CSV table of all heavy atoms in Angstrom, one decimal:
chain,number,residue,atom,x,y,z
S,1,ARG,N,24.2,8.5,3.9
S,1,ARG,CA,22.9,9.2,4.1
S,1,ARG,C,22.1,9.1,3.0
S,1,ARG,O,20.9,8.9,3.1
S,1,ARG,CB,23.4,10.8,4.4
S,1,ARG,CG,23.6,11.1,5.8
S,1,ARG,CD,23.6,12.5,6.1
S,1,ARG,NE,24.4,13.2,5.3
S,1,ARG,CZ,25.7,13.5,5.6
S,1,ARG,NH1,26.2,13.2,6.6
S,1,ARG,NH2,26.4,14.3,4.7
S,2,ALA,N,22.6,9.4,1.8
S,2,ALA,CA,21.9,9.1,0.5
S,2,ALA,C,21.2,7.7,0.4
S,2,ALA,O,20.0,7.6,0.0
S,2,ALA,CB,22.7,9.5,-0.7
S,3,LEU,N,21.9,6.7,0.6
S,3,LEU,CA,21.5,5.3,0.7
S,3,LEU,C,20.4,5.1,1.7
S,3,LEU,O,19.3,4.4,1.3
S,3,LEU,CB,22.6,4.3,0.6
S,3,LEU,CG,23.6,4.2,-0.6
S,3,LEU,CD1,24.8,3.5,-0.2
S,3,LEU,CD2,22.8,3.5,-1.6
S,4,THR,N,20.7,5.5,2.8
S,4,THR,CA,19.6,5.3,3.9
S,4,THR,C,18.3,6.0,3.8
S,4,THR,O,17.3,5.5,4.1
S,4,THR,CB,20.2,5.5,5.3
S,4,THR,OG1,20.7,6.9,5.3
S,4,THR,CG2,21.3,4.5,5.6
S,5,ASP,N,18.5,7.2,3.2
S,5,ASP,CA,17.4,8.0,2.8
S,5,ASP,C,16.5,7.2,1.8
S,5,ASP,O,15.2,7.2,2.0
S,5,ASP,CB,17.7,9.4,2.4
S,5,ASP,CG,18.2,10.3,3.5
S,5,ASP,OD1,17.9,9.9,4.6
S,5,ASP,OD2,18.7,11.5,3.2
S,6,PHE,N,17.1,6.7,0.9
S,6,PHE,CA,16.4,6.0,-0.2
S,6,PHE,C,15.8,4.9,0.2
S,6,PHE,O,14.6,4.7,0.1
S,6,PHE,CB,17.4,5.6,-1.3
S,6,PHE,CG,16.8,4.8,-2.4
S,6,PHE,CD1,16.0,5.1,-3.3
S,6,PHE,CD2,17.1,3.4,-2.4
S,6,PHE,CE1,15.3,4.3,-4.3
S,6,PHE,CE2,16.6,2.4,-3.3
S,6,PHE,CZ,15.7,3.0,-4.3
S,7,TYR,N,16.5,4.0,1.0
S,7,TYR,CA,15.9,2.7,1.5
S,7,TYR,C,14.9,3.0,2.6
S,7,TYR,O,14.0,2.2,2.6
S,7,TYR,CB,16.9,1.8,1.9
S,7,TYR,CG,17.7,1.1,0.8
S,7,TYR,CD1,19.1,1.3,0.4
S,7,TYR,CD2,17.0,0.0,0.0
S,7,TYR,CE1,19.6,0.7,-0.7
S,7,TYR,CE2,17.7,-0.5,-1.1
S,7,TYR,CZ,18.9,-0.2,-1.4
S,7,TYR,OH,19.5,-0.8,-2.4
S,8,TYR,N,15.0,3.9,3.3
S,8,TYR,CA,14.0,4.3,4.4
S,8,TYR,C,12.6,4.7,3.7
S,8,TYR,O,11.6,4.1,4.0
S,8,TYR,CB,14.4,5.6,5.2
S,8,TYR,CG,13.6,5.8,6.4
S,8,TYR,CD1,13.8,5.3,7.6
S,8,TYR,CD2,12.5,6.7,6.2
S,8,TYR,CE1,12.9,5.5,8.6
S,8,TYR,CE2,11.8,7.0,7.4
S,8,TYR,CZ,11.9,6.4,8.5
S,8,TYR,OH,11.1,6.8,9.6
S,9,GLY,N,12.6,5.5,2.7
S,9,GLY,CA,11.5,5.8,2.0
S,9,GLY,C,10.8,4.6,1.2
S,9,GLY,O,9.7,4.4,1.1
S,10,LEU,N,11.7,3.8,0.5
S,10,LEU,CA,11.3,2.6,-0.1
S,10,LEU,C,10.7,1.7,0.8
S,10,LEU,O,9.6,1.1,0.6
S,10,LEU,CB,12.5,1.9,-0.8
S,10,LEU,CG,12.2,0.9,-1.8
S,10,LEU,CD1,11.5,1.6,-3.1
S,10,LEU,CD2,13.4,0.2,-2.3
S,11,GLN,N,11.3,1.5,2.0
S,11,GLN,CA,10.6,0.6,2.9
S,11,GLN,C,9.2,1.0,3.4
S,11,GLN,O,8.5,0.2,3.7
S,11,GLN,CB,11.6,0.3,4.2
S,11,GLN,CG,11.1,-0.7,5.3
S,11,GLN,CD,11.5,-2.1,4.8
S,11,GLN,OE1,11.6,-2.4,3.7
S,11,GLN,NE2,11.8,-2.9,5.8
S,12,LYS,N,9.0,2.2,3.7
S,12,LYS,CA,7.6,2.7,4.1
S,12,LYS,C,6.7,2.3,3.0
S,12,LYS,O,5.4,1.9,3.4
S,12,LYS,CB,7.8,4.2,4.1
S,12,LYS,CG,8.5,4.7,5.4
S,12,LYS,CD,8.1,6.3,5.7
S,12,LYS,CE,6.7,6.4,6.3
S,12,LYS,NZ,6.6,7.7,6.8
S,13,VAL,N,7.0,2.5,1.8
S,13,VAL,CA,6.1,2.0,0.7
S,13,VAL,C,5.9,0.5,0.6
S,13,VAL,O,4.8,-0.1,0.6
S,13,VAL,CB,6.6,2.5,-0.7
S,13,VAL,CG1,5.7,2.0,-1.8
S,13,VAL,CG2,6.7,4.0,-0.7
S,14,VAL,N,7.0,-0.2,0.8
S,14,VAL,CA,6.9,-1.7,0.8
S,14,VAL,C,6.1,-2.2,1.8
S,14,VAL,O,5.3,-3.1,1.8
S,14,VAL,CB,8.4,-2.2,0.8
S,14,VAL,CG1,8.4,-3.9,1.1
S,14,VAL,CG2,9.1,-2.0,-0.6
S,15,ASN,N,6.2,-1.6,3.1
S,15,ASN,CA,5.5,-2.1,4.2
S,15,ASN,C,4.1,-1.9,4.0
S,15,ASN,O,3.2,-2.8,4.4
S,15,ASN,CB,6.0,-1.4,5.5
S,15,ASN,CG,7.2,-1.8,6.1
S,15,ASN,OD1,7.8,-2.8,5.7
S,15,ASN,ND2,7.7,-1.2,7.2
S,16,SER,N,3.7,-0.7,3.4
S,16,SER,CA,2.3,-0.5,3.1
S,16,SER,C,1.7,-1.4,2.1
S,16,SER,O,0.5,-1.8,2.3
S,16,SER,CB,2.1,1.0,2.8
S,16,SER,OG,2.5,1.9,3.9
S,17,ILE,N,2.5,-1.7,1.1
S,17,ILE,CA,2.1,-2.7,0.1
S,17,ILE,C,1.7,-3.9,0.7
S,17,ILE,O,0.7,-4.6,0.4
S,17,ILE,CB,3.1,-2.8,-1.1
S,17,ILE,CG1,3.0,-1.4,-1.9
S,17,ILE,CG2,2.7,-3.9,-2.0
S,17,ILE,CD1,4.1,-1.5,-2.9
S,18,PHE,N,2.6,-4.4,1.6
S,18,PHE,CA,2.6,-5.7,2.3
S,18,PHE,C,1.2,-5.6,3.1
S,18,PHE,O,0.5,-6.8,3.1
S,18,PHE,CB,3.8,-5.8,3.1
S,18,PHE,CG,4.1,-7.2,3.6
S,18,PHE,CD1,5.2,-7.5,4.2
S,18,PHE,CD2,3.2,-8.3,3.4
S,18,PHE,CE1,5.5,-8.9,4.7
S,18,PHE,CE2,3.4,-9.6,3.9
S,18,PHE,CZ,4.6,-9.9,4.5
S,19,ALA,N,1.1,-4.7,3.8
S,19,ALA,CA,-0.1,-4.5,4.7
S,19,ALA,C,-1.4,-4.7,3.9
S,19,ALA,O,-2.3,-5.3,4.3
S,19,ALA,CB,0.0,-3.2,5.5
S,20,MET,N,-1.5,-3.9,2.8
S,20,MET,CA,-2.7,-3.9,1.9
S,20,MET,C,-2.9,-5.3,1.3
S,20,MET,O,-4.1,-5.8,1.3
S,20,MET,CB,-2.5,-2.9,0.6
S,20,MET,CG,-2.7,-1.5,1.0
S,20,MET,SD,-4.2,-1.0,1.6
S,20,MET,CE,-5.3,-1.6,0.3
S,21,CYS,N,-1.8,-6.1,1.0
S,21,CYS,CA,-2.0,-7.5,0.5
S,21,CYS,C,-2.5,-8.3,1.5
S,21,CYS,O,-3.3,-9.2,1.3
S,21,CYS,CB,-0.6,-7.9,-0.1
S,21,CYS,SG,0.1,-7.2,-1.6
S,22,LEU,N,-2.1,-8.2,2.7
S,22,LEU,CA,-2.6,-9.0,3.8
S,22,LEU,C,-4.0,-8.8,4.0
S,22,LEU,O,-4.8,-9.7,4.3
S,22,LEU,CB,-1.7,-8.8,5.0
S,22,LEU,CG,-0.2,-9.3,5.0
S,22,LEU,CD1,0.6,-8.8,6.3
S,22,LEU,CD2,-0.2,-10.8,4.9
S,23,LEU,N,-4.3,-7.6,4.0
S,23,LEU,CA,-5.8,-7.1,4.4
S,23,LEU,C,-6.7,-7.5,3.3
S,23,LEU,O,-7.8,-8.0,3.6
S,23,LEU,CB,-5.9,-5.7,4.6
S,23,LEU,CG,-5.3,-5.0,5.9
S,23,LEU,CD1,-5.0,-3.6,5.9
S,23,LEU,CD2,-6.1,-5.5,7.2
S,24,GLN,N,-6.2,-7.4,2.0
S,24,GLN,CA,-7.1,-7.8,0.9
S,24,GLN,C,-7.4,-9.3,0.9
S,24,GLN,O,-8.4,-9.7,0.2
S,24,GLN,CB,-6.4,-7.5,-0.4
S,24,GLN,CG,-6.5,-6.0,-0.6
S,24,GLN,CD,-5.9,-5.5,-2.0
S,24,GLN,OE1,-5.7,-4.3,-2.3
S,24,GLN,NE2,-5.6,-6.5,-2.9
S,25,ARG,N,-6.5,-10.0,1.5
S,25,ARG,CA,-6.9,-11.6,1.6
S,25,ARG,C,-8.3,-11.8,2.3
S,25,ARG,O,-8.9,-13.0,2.1
S,25,ARG,CB,-5.9,-12.2,2.2
S,25,ARG,CG,-4.6,-12.2,1.5
S,25,ARG,CD,-3.5,-13.4,1.9
S,25,ARG,NE,-3.2,-13.6,3.2
S,25,ARG,CZ,-2.0,-14.1,3.8
S,25,ARG,NH1,-1.6,-15.0,2.9
S,25,ARG,NH2,-1.6,-14.1,5.0
S,26,HIS,N,-8.7,-10.9,3.1
S,26,HIS,CA,-9.7,-11.0,4.0
S,26,HIS,C,-10.9,-10.2,3.6
S,26,HIS,O,-11.9,-10.0,4.4
S,26,HIS,CB,-9.5,-10.9,5.5
S,26,HIS,CG,-8.3,-11.7,5.9
S,26,HIS,ND1,-8.4,-13.0,6.2
S,26,HIS,CD2,-6.8,-11.5,5.9
S,26,HIS,CE1,-7.1,-13.5,6.5
S,26,HIS,NE2,-6.3,-12.5,6.3
S,27,GLN,N,-10.9,-9.6,2.4
S,27,GLN,CA,-12.0,-8.7,2.0
S,27,GLN,C,-12.4,-9.0,0.5
S,27,GLN,O,-11.5,-9.0,-0.3
S,27,GLN,CB,-11.5,-7.3,2.2
S,27,GLN,CG,-12.7,-6.2,2.1
S,27,GLN,CD,-12.3,-4.8,2.6
S,27,GLN,OE1,-11.4,-4.2,2.0
S,27,GLN,NE2,-12.8,-4.4,3.7
S,28,GLN,N,-13.7,-8.9,0.2
S,28,GLN,CA,-14.3,-8.9,-1.0
S,28,GLN,C,-14.0,-7.7,-1.8
S,28,GLN,O,-14.3,-6.7,-1.2
S,28,GLN,CB,-15.7,-9.3,-1.0
S,28,GLN,CG,-15.9,-10.7,-0.4
S,28,GLN,CD,-15.2,-11.9,-1.2
S,28,GLN,OE1,-15.2,-11.9,-2.5
S,28,GLN,NE2,-14.7,-12.7,-0.5
S,29,PRO,N,-13.7,-7.7,-3.0
S,29,PRO,CA,-13.5,-6.3,-3.9
S,29,PRO,C,-14.8,-5.5,-3.8
S,29,PRO,O,-14.7,-4.3,-4.0
S,29,PRO,CB,-13.1,-6.9,-5.3
S,29,PRO,CG,-12.5,-8.3,-5.0
S,29,PRO,CD,-13.3,-8.9,-4.0
S,30,ASP,N,-15.9,-6.1,-3.9
S,30,ASP,CA,-17.2,-5.5,-4.0
S,30,ASP,C,-17.5,-4.8,-2.7
S,30,ASP,O,-18.5,-4.0,-2.7
S,30,ASP,CB,-18.3,-6.4,-4.5
S,30,ASP,CG,-18.5,-7.5,-3.6
S,30,ASP,OD1,-17.8,-7.6,-2.7
S,30,ASP,OD2,-19.6,-8.3,-3.8
S,31,ARG,N,-16.7,-5.1,-1.6
S,31,ARG,CA,-17.0,-4.4,-0.3
S,31,ARG,C,-16.2,-3.2,0.0
S,31,ARG,O,-16.2,-2.6,1.1
S,31,ARG,CB,-16.8,-5.5,0.7
S,31,ARG,CG,-17.7,-6.7,0.7
S,31,ARG,CD,-19.1,-6.5,1.2
S,31,ARG,NE,-19.1,-6.1,2.7
S,31,ARG,CZ,-19.2,-7.0,3.6
S,31,ARG,NH1,-19.0,-8.3,3.4
S,31,ARG,NH2,-19.2,-6.5,4.8
S,32,GLU,N,-15.3,-2.9,-1.0
S,32,GLU,CA,-14.4,-1.8,-0.9
S,32,GLU,C,-15.0,-0.5,-0.8
S,32,GLU,O,-15.9,-0.2,-1.6
S,32,GLU,CB,-13.3,-1.9,-1.9
S,32,GLU,CG,-12.1,-1.1,-1.6
S,32,GLU,CD,-10.9,-1.6,-2.6
S,32,GLU,OE1,-11.0,-0.9,-3.8
S,32,GLU,OE2,-10.2,-2.3,-2.3
S,33,GLY,N,-14.5,0.4,0.1
S,33,GLY,CA,-15.1,1.7,0.2
S,33,GLY,C,-14.7,2.7,-0.9
S,33,GLY,O,-13.6,2.5,-1.4
S,34,ARG,N,-15.1,4.0,-0.8
S,34,ARG,CA,-14.8,4.9,-1.8
S,34,ARG,C,-13.4,5.6,-1.5
S,34,ARG,O,-12.7,5.8,-2.4
S,34,ARG,CB,-15.9,6.1,-1.8
S,34,ARG,CG,-17.1,5.7,-2.4
S,34,ARG,CD,-18.0,7.0,-2.5
S,34,ARG,NE,-18.3,7.5,-1.0
S,34,ARG,CZ,-19.0,8.6,-0.7
S,34,ARG,NH1,-19.4,9.4,-1.8
S,34,ARG,NH2,-19.4,8.8,0.5
S,35,LEU,N,-13.1,5.5,-0.3
S,35,LEU,CA,-11.8,6.1,0.2
S,35,LEU,C,-10.6,5.1,-0.5
S,35,LEU,O,-9.7,5.7,-1.1
S,35,LEU,CB,-11.5,6.1,1.7
S,35,LEU,CG,-10.3,6.7,2.2
S,35,LEU,CD1,-10.0,8.0,1.6
S,35,LEU,CD2,-10.1,6.6,3.6
S,36,VAL,N,-10.7,3.9,-0.4
S,36,VAL,CA,-9.7,3.0,-0.8
S,36,VAL,C,-9.6,3.1,-2.4
S,36,VAL,O,-8.6,3.1,-3.0
S,36,VAL,CB,-9.9,1.6,-0.4
S,36,VAL,CG1,-8.9,0.5,-1.0
S,36,VAL,CG2,-9.7,1.5,1.1
S,37,LYS,N,-10.9,3.1,-2.9
S,37,LYS,CA,-10.8,3.2,-4.5
S,37,LYS,C,-10.2,4.5,-5.0
S,37,LYS,O,-9.6,4.5,-6.0
S,37,LYS,CB,-12.3,3.2,-5.0
S,37,LYS,CG,-13.0,1.8,-4.8
S,37,LYS,CD,-14.5,1.8,-5.2
S,37,LYS,CE,-15.2,0.5,-5.0
S,37,LYS,NZ,-16.6,0.5,-5.4
S,38,ALA,N,-10.4,5.6,-4.1
S,38,ALA,CA,-9.8,6.8,-4.6
S,38,ALA,C,-8.2,6.6,-4.5
S,38,ALA,O,-7.5,7.3,-5.4
S,38,ALA,CB,-10.2,8.0,-3.8
S,39,CYS,N,-7.9,5.9,-3.5
S,39,CYS,CA,-6.3,5.7,-3.3
S,39,CYS,C,-5.7,4.9,-4.3
S,39,CYS,O,-4.6,5.2,-4.9
S,39,CYS,CB,-6.1,5.1,-1.9
S,39,CYS,SG,-6.4,6.2,-0.6
S,40,ARG,N,-6.5,4.1,-4.9
S,40,ARG,CA,-6.2,3.0,-5.9
S,40,ARG,C,-5.9,3.9,-7.2
S,40,ARG,O,-4.8,3.6,-8.0
S,40,ARG,CB,-7.1,2.0,-6.3
S,40,ARG,CG,-7.2,0.9,-5.2
S,40,ARG,CD,-8.0,-0.3,-5.7
S,40,ARG,NE,-8.3,-1.2,-4.6
S,40,ARG,CZ,-7.4,-2.2,-4.2
S,40,ARG,NH1,-6.2,-2.2,-4.9
S,40,ARG,NH2,-7.5,-3.0,-3.3
S,41,SER,N,-6.6,4.8,-7.6
S,41,SER,CA,-6.5,5.6,-8.8
S,41,SER,C,-5.2,6.5,-8.7
S,41,SER,O,-4.5,6.6,-9.7
S,41,SER,CB,-7.7,6.5,-9.1
S,41,SER,OG,-7.8,7.5,-7.9
S,42,ILE,N,-4.9,6.9,-7.5
S,42,ILE,CA,-3.7,7.6,-7.2
S,42,ILE,C,-2.4,6.8,-7.4
S,42,ILE,O,-1.5,7.1,-7.9
S,42,ILE,CB,-3.7,8.4,-5.9
S,42,ILE,CG1,-4.8,9.4,-5.8
S,42,ILE,CG2,-2.3,9.0,-5.6
S,42,ILE,CD1,-4.9,10.0,-4.4
S,43,TRP,N,-2.6,5.5,-6.9
S,43,TRP,CA,-1.4,4.6,-7.0
S,43,TRP,C,-1.1,4.3,-8.5
S,43,TRP,O,0.2,4.2,-8.9
S,43,TRP,CB,-1.7,3.3,-6.4
S,43,TRP,CG,-2.0,3.4,-5.0
S,43,TRP,CD1,-1.7,4.5,-4.2
S,43,TRP,CD2,-2.6,2.3,-4.2
S,43,TRP,NE1,-2.3,4.1,-2.8
S,43,TRP,CE2,-2.9,2.9,-2.8
S,43,TRP,CE3,-3.2,1.2,-4.5
S,43,TRP,CZ2,-3.5,2.2,-1.8
S,43,TRP,CZ3,-3.9,0.4,-3.4
S,43,TRP,CH2,-4.0,1.0,-2.2
S,44,VAL,N,-2.0,4.3,-9.4
S,44,VAL,CA,-1.8,4.0,-10.8
S,44,VAL,C,-1.0,5.1,-11.4
S,44,VAL,O,0.0,5.0,-12.2
S,44,VAL,CB,-3.2,3.8,-11.6
S,44,VAL,CG1,-3.0,3.7,-13.1
S,44,VAL,CG2,-3.8,2.6,-11.0
S,45,CYS,N,-1.3,6.4,-11.0
S,45,CYS,CA,-0.6,7.5,-11.5
S,45,CYS,C,0.8,7.6,-10.9
S,45,CYS,O,1.7,7.8,-11.7
S,45,CYS,CB,-1.3,8.8,-11.1
S,45,CYS,SG,-2.9,9.0,-11.9
């Protein structure tokens, strides 16, 4: 249970990182909206 809980939570994050990387391949940084920029500052923390 402890191991599956850990890897389940980790996979959710990894999937989202993967999705962001795929999407960023098709978008210019200067076209990014305020919502995504706000999220980026949270990721750094």
Side-chain angles (χ1 to χ4, degrees):
R1 277 196 302 272
L3 285 165
T4 53
D5 285 350
F6 169 77
Y7 280 109
Y8 186 89
L10 195 68
Q11 186 81 323
K12 289 194 75 171
V13 175
V14 168
N15 280 358
S16 297
I17 289 176
F18 197 172
M20 286 297 302
C21 290
L22 291 171
L23 291 165
Q24 283 182 195
R25 293 204 294 195
H26 305 282
Q27 193 171 64
Q28 297 298 320
D30 58 358
R31 301 282 300 275
E32 193 167 86
R34 287 184 298 174
L35 179 62
V36 177
K37 289 179 180 177
C39 289
R40 285 190 189 279
S41 65
I42 297 175
W43 301 343
V44 173
C45 295

